[in-house]
Amino acid sequence: MANRLACHVAGLPLPNPVMPASGTFDYHPDVRTPVDVARLGALIPKSITLHPQPGNPPSRLAETPAGLINSIGIPSPGLAAFQDKFRSVYGGVPCPLVISVAGYSPDEYAQLTQACSRWPEVVAIELNLSCPNLKTHLMPAQDPILLRDAVQAARAATVKPLWAKLSPNVTTIAPMAAIAHDAGADAVVAINTIRAMAINIERQKAILGHFTGGLSGPAILPIGLSMVWDIAQHTSVPVIGCGGIRTVDDALMYLMAGASAVQVGTATFAHPAAMMDIINGLDRYLADQGIAQIADIIGIAKPA
């Protein structure tokens, strides 16, 4: 891919700004997929927890007219099991590797961050502070003190870049981004899914086994876009845009709103090659517009 797609997230160089959202795409060296992993800006596997956990009870998915509600709940083998298989699975990943970790206390975030930072293949740690369908009702990304404490603990445990994944389920997101940045996050990811619910009217029951989950997909794109813009306008923290991205146009909107990079999630379930299409489309757009570097379009959106 042409060098014009090369970008930086808080000083971390990436070959391009397109990567999967954690939990929506993984790497299996012996499995062929429509995605050429070597062309991704980065790879982010599903969040790892300190201890094994099964995730939420079924049903875990509910389709909506413009998106998907998931209540997966971060099923995880735990850190020890993940460490055992790390070399065989991720040792040869042909793109930058970012590990997502999810803790239930600042100490757990610190332990996970420290352990995952030992691998030279890992270029950054993403702190999942905002999953809306876990057993706890209050997420660190919803409370300023919990957010600060979790990020500070992780920051003290590593010298590698830290990305804090924020929640849209707050009154205003820019102050939370500023808190994460001040606590030591090098960048923030915005947004995670929006708390949502679906009901089967014939059975008169909630469709999801956990009752509520997180809405993703096209319905949340305008919300994610506005929150990225808010963060870019009111803070100095670099932001990675996420939420509802399906096409190159969607990715371009996030970049023009101020995102340094983007994450693609639900779109890959319906169209596995979505990230490849977006990478190719970004390159074509820059070439057609005569733009030398992807950095030249970041934050250029203006009022109508």
Side-chain angles (χ1 to χ4, degrees), residues 6-278:
C7 66
H8 288 80
V9 175
L12 175 67
L14 299 176
N16 67 70
V18 181
M19 63 194 82
S22 175
T24 63
F25 177 83
D26 206 348
Y27 175 71
H28 303 280
D30 299 324
V31 177
R32 295 183 61 185
T33 75
V35 177
D36 181 356
V37 175
R39 295 184 60 208
L40 293 176
L43 174 69
I44 312 176
K46 188 166 182 62
S47 298
I48 296 299
T49 56
L50 187 61
H51 304 291
Q53 59 184 43
N56 287 337
S59 294
R60 293 179 169 187
L61 297 174
E63 291 190 60
T64 75
L68 182 71
I69 306 174
N70 90 81
S71 183
I72 306 299
I74 311 185
S76 170
L79 178 61
F82 184 77
Q83 288 175 312
D84 287 344
K85 75 169 189 176
F86 180 87
R87 291 292 175 200
S88 61
V89 176
Y90 298 107
V93 170
C95 69
L97 179 64
V98 178
I99 297 296
S100 174
V101 300
Y104 293 101
S105 68
D107 182 62
E108 287 196 8
Y109 277 107
Q111 290 185 61
L112 288 159
T113 298
Q114 183 178 53
C116 294
S117 295
R118 296 192 183 107
W119 299 310
E121 296 89 349
V122 176
V123 300
I125 306 293
E126 181 178 280
L127 306 176
N128 185 347
L129 304 157
S130 54
C131 188
N133 52 51
L134 295 178
K135 60 187 177 183
T136 54
H137 292 290
L138 186 64
M139 301 173 283
Q142 289 180 303
D143 180 273
I145 295 174
L146 294 177
L147 176 61
R148 180 201 65 199
D149 290 352
V151 175
Q152 283 183 342
R155 179 74 284 163
T158 188
V159 297
K160 291 193 174 183
L162 282 180
W163 299 353
K165 191 162 188 177
L166 300 181
S167 171
N169 302 297
V170 293
T171 303
T172 53
I173 199 169
M176 305 304 282
I179 290 167
H181 196 204
D182 291 344
D186 299 284
V188 297
V189 182
I191 55 177
N192 210 323
T193 55
I194 295 173
R195 194 165 185 263
M197 185 177 184
I199 293 176
N200 183 319
I201 62 171
E202 301 300 329
R203 299 180 61 207
Q204 301 175 355
K205 293 182 178 179
I207 292 177
L208 299 173
H210 190 65
F211 292 92
T212 63
L215 176 66
S216 62
I220 75 168
L221 187 143
I223 300 168
L225 198 62
S226 72
M227 291 191 170
V228 166
W229 185 85
D230 282 345
I231 294 169
Q233 292 295 307
H234 298 108
T235 78
S236 61
V237 58
V239 57
I240 300 160
C242 182
I245 298 172
R246 295 177 299 161
T247 67
V248 64
D249 289 357
D250 298 338
L252 284 165
M253 286 193 284
Y254 269 100
L255 295 170
M256 291 180 182
S260 298
V262 296
Q263 294 183 356
V264 181
T266 301
T268 60
F269 300 153
H271 180 41
M275 288 185 290
M276 299 292 96
D277 290 350
I278 292 170

